[in-house]
Amino acid sequence: MKTSDFHFDLPKELIAQDPLEDRSSSRLMVLHWRSGRIEHKVFTDIAEYLNEGDCLVRNNTKVIPARLFGAREDTGAAVELLLLKRRENDIWETLVKPGKKTRTGAGLVFGEGHLHGEILEVLEDGNRLIRFRYEGIFEEILDELGQMPLPPYITHKLEDKNRYQTVYAKYEGSAAAPTAGLHFTEELFDKLQDRGVNVANVTLHVGLGTFRPVKVEDVACHHMHSEYYRIEPEEAAKINETRARGGRIICVGTTSCRTIESAADDAGILRPGEADTEIFIYPGYQFKVMDELITNFHLPESTLLMLVSALAGKEQVMRAYEEAVREKYRFFSFGDAMLILDD
């Protein structure tokens, strides 16, 4: 299977630059993938498709203001840093720009000396391990100095940081938002609860590996970067009990999907705990837990589009994307949503 098989033409004007004022007012394409039927709805209509006893699985990770702007201590040259993953205590895996001149041993300074960093190691993929020094609490310093790590295709300034967080974000650690969850409001969750829909929370700290372009022509040769996940016993029990009595498991976003598929055994039983996952889901993958999916519209030739195609079939998904372009749906992080149903 070739990466180019997942290409489609996307006009730049369809890339959403700003979040809607009302989270749940985005459009919703409903794809009934077995029949091929497509419906055009508003996101609040999603309640019509969820039934009593279904389990909605959402990723409660919280995006940190992971983008830092500073300078090299020796030359004063400007540097930009993106925190990707905390390795231990004050040591982080990072993406540094410009990268070529920031070698092992280089010192960096941020916020007029409130935060210092030393490059400990240049990793095989070009990322840097950095040890930070500071006085006080790291999270408070980061909140003061850092900016939200919006994807490069969003060029507008985000006025409200909370609009790049889900309303249920809880555990800090992500370099990007689980964007399918951005459409939900507390009022919508209340409505779903009244319908008897259960909610299970999992945590996967989203790194850039999910969004990095596939640079190989053979899809199977692509390697995903690892991401940390955690599932509490009571949350795993909700999902397992739902499956045992025949309820549907509906994931809010690809990160929730990747989490439960990583943590399940071959029989589809979810195991609680924490681990790192490098799971790469593309057509041919047999889903063990997830039945249906709520997701945004993704980049051409991306691993996210491949995951969606693994669930609904490449031909059906590419046809739905062509219709989304014709109907002028909004794409990517602040864009519209798709509900993929197994009927």
Side-chain angles (χ1 to χ4, degrees):
M1 187 170 294
K2 295 181 179 180
T3 300
S4 55
D5 292 337
F6 297 90
H7 179 77
F8 65 94
D9 293 323
L10 179 67
K12 286 187 176 179
E13 62 267 22
L14 297 186
I15 300 175
Q17 293 294 323
D18 303 290
L20 297 178
E21 185 174 345
D22 176 5
R23 289 175 181 262
S24 59
S25 65
S26 55
R27 296 170 72 189
L28 176 70
M29 175 185 282
V30 182
L31 171 61
H32 303 261
W33 72 265
R34 291 193 186 273
S35 66
R37 186 163 63 96
I38 291 176
E39 298 179 89
H40 301 288
K41 298 284 187 173
V42 178
F43 194 79
T44 49
D45 295 332
I46 203 164
E48 300 172 9
Y49 298 92
L50 302 181
N51 304 321
E52 182 178 356
D54 289 341
C55 185
L56 204 62
V57 182
R58 63 188 190 183
N59 180 9
N60 62 6
T61 188
K62 191 172 187 178
V63 185
I64 61 174
R67 194 177 298 278
L68 290 163
F69 294 90
R72 289 185 52 171
E73 289 183 333
D74 54 356
T75 65
V79 294
E80 179 183 341
L81 198 72
L82 184 64
L83 303 178
L84 299 178
K85 184 179 182 180
R86 183 178 237 145
R87 289 292 191 91
E88 56 177 288
N89 299 324
D90 294 322
I91 298 176
W92 285 76
E93 182 177 345
T94 68
L95 181 67
V96 182
K97 295 181 182 180
K100 288 185 178 180
K101 295 183 179 180
T102 48
R103 300 186 178 94
T104 301
L108 308 175
V109 61
F110 306 91
E112 300 180 350
H114 293 298
L115 182 65
H116 293 264
E118 178 190 358
I119 296 179
L120 301 179
E121 183 182 350
V122 179
L123 303 177
E124 187 176 332
D125 58 5
N127 292 345
R128 268 69 171 164
L129 285 187
I130 293 184
R131 176 187 285 120
F132 288 103
R133 293 182 290 107
Y134 52 89
E135 292 185 4
I137 299 173
F138 182 78
E139 287 74 16
E140 291 181 357
I141 294 172
L142 189 62
D143 193 52
E144 178 184 348
L145 301 180
Q147 297 182 16
M148 295 301 277
L150 295 178
Y153 48 74
I154 294 178
T155 59
H156 292 188
K157 182 180 179 182
L158 182 64
E159 299 297 334
D160 181 1
K161 285 184 179 181
N162 288 326
R163 291 313 310 274
Y164 197 57
Q165 301 278 19
T166 63
V167 297
Y168 49 86
K170 187 174 182 180
Y171 298 108
E172 292 185 334
S174 277
T179 53
L182 296 178
H183 303 282
F184 283 90
T185 62
E186 295 291 359
E187 291 76 16
L188 184 51
F189 279 121
D190 289 342
K191 186 176 182 180
L192 294 174
Q193 185 178 18
D194 290 342
R195 290 178 64 90
V197 177
N198 298 312
V199 173
N201 293 294
V202 299
T203 306
L204 181 137
H205 292 324
V206 187
L208 292 189
T210 303
F211 305 97
R212 278 184 168 165
V214 179
K215 296 182 179 180
V216 293
E217 184 58 16
D218 183 352
V219 167
C221 294
H222 177 71
H223 175 70
M224 295 285 286
H225 287 66
S226 80
E227 295 167 311
Y228 167 86
Y229 74 83
R230 184 178 69 249
I231 304 176
E232 300 294 343
E234 59 271 24
E235 305 300 325
K238 290 179 188 177
I239 296 169
N240 290 332
E241 289 167 4
T242 299
R243 292 190 74 248
R245 54 180 159 73
R248 295 180 299 173
I249 305 299
I250 304 161
C251 285
V252 180
T254 58
T255 63
S256 301
C257 166
R258 294 176 66 246
T259 302
I260 63 173
E261 292 295 318
S262 297
D265 63 21
D266 291 339
I269 304 301
L270 207 60
R271 299 162 299 193
E274 56 185 324
D276 291 325
T277 179
E278 297 178 351
I279 191 171
F280 177 26
I281 297 175
Y282 58 93
Y285 179 85
Q286 297 298 312
F287 289 89
K288 296 178 287 187
V289 186
M290 184 180 75
D291 297 306
E292 298 174 348
L293 177 67
I294 301 164
T295 187
N296 280 20
F297 290 93
H298 304 296
L299 284 163
E301 301 186 4
S302 64
T303 61
L304 304 177
L305 180 56
M306 293 171 190
L307 185 154
V308 172
S309 298
L311 177 65
K314 183 175 73 70
E315 290 74 19
Q316 290 282 37
V317 170
M318 299 308 288
R319 182 178 63 86
Y321 269 56
E322 289 173 4
E323 181 155 344
V325 170
R326 284 196 303 271
E327 296 292 329
K328 300 190 184 308
Y329 274 72
R330 301 164 75 245
F331 276 68
F332 307 159
S333 296
F334 289 140
D336 295 316
M338 174 187 276
L339 171 62
I340 302 176
L341 296 176
D342 185 10
D343 62 10

